[in-house]
Amino acid sequence: MSINHESVRFLLVGGSVFFIDMAIFIMLYQWEGIPAFKARLMAFFVATVLTWLGNRCFTFRHRIQLNKRSQFSIALLISCLAAGVNLGVFYFLGEFLPATIIFAILSLAMGVLAGLVVNWCGSTWITYRHIKD
C-alpha cells in the first residue's frame, strides 16, 4: 500500500495543527491552571478551525470546492464526530491514568490519533469528495 500525496498533505496539516493544539492545551492546563478537560475543549476548537483551513487550502486544494459556508458546515459536523471520539478517548484515559502532565499529554495524543482516523475518512469521503475529472 503506497501513501499518496494527499495523505502526506493531510498528515502535514494534522501534524502541524497537533503541535498548536498541544501547545495551547499545555499553556491553558499547566500555566493557567484551567482544568484538563476544559483546556482540552478550548484547544480543540482552535485546532478544528485551523485543520479545516489547512485542508481546504492545502490538502484538498485540487478538488472541486464547495462554497466556504457549506464546506465548513460539513467539516464542522465531521469534526464534531471526530471530537466525540477524540475527547472520549482523552476522557477515558484520563480517568484511569495518573493525573500528571505526562499522562495528560499521552491521553491527548491518543485522542488525537483516534480522531485522525475519523477526520481522514470524513474529509476524504464526505467534506472534500468532489474530485475533478
Side-chain angles (χ1 to χ4, degrees):
M1 179 175 148
S2 66
I3 297 178
N4 64 31
H5 295 291
E6 201 170 76
S7 300
V8 171
R9 288 191 302 265
F10 185 83
L11 292 172
L12 284 171
V13 168
S16 300
V17 173
F18 170 74
F19 286 108
I20 296 167
D21 186 0
M22 185 168 45
I24 292 169
F25 171 73
I26 291 169
M27 191 172 50
L28 295 172
Y29 177 65
Q30 188 72 19
W31 298 347
E32 298 297 324
I34 294 174
F37 198 74
K38 185 175 181 182
R40 185 70 198 100
L41 286 172
M42 295 166 75
F44 185 83
F45 176 76
V46 173
T48 299
V49 173
L50 293 175
T51 299
W52 172 72
L53 288 170
N55 284 332
R56 179 179 174 86
C57 298
F58 180 63
T59 305
F60 300 106
R61 70 181 182 270
H62 63 284
R63 293 188 179 193
I64 298 168
Q65 300 290 327
L66 301 174
N67 70 61
K68 289 178 184 176
R69 180 175 287 179
S70 295
Q71 191 177 61
F72 182 74
S73 296
I74 294 167
L76 187 58
L77 287 173
I78 298 297
S79 290
C80 286
L81 178 60
V85 172
N86 182 326
L87 296 173
V89 168
F90 176 77
Y91 180 79
F92 178 80
L93 291 175
E95 289 296 305
F96 294 100
L97 296 174
T100 66
I101 188 65
I102 296 299
F103 285 114
I105 292 170
L106 176 65
S107 298
L108 183 148
M110 295 307 294
V112 167
L113 183 60
L116 172 73
V117 172
V118 174
N119 269 320
W120 170 252
C121 293
S123 293
T124 301
W125 298 325
I126 300 171
T127 307
Y128 305 98
R129 70 184 175 277
H130 305 286
I131 300 174
K132 294 179 182 176
D133 294 326

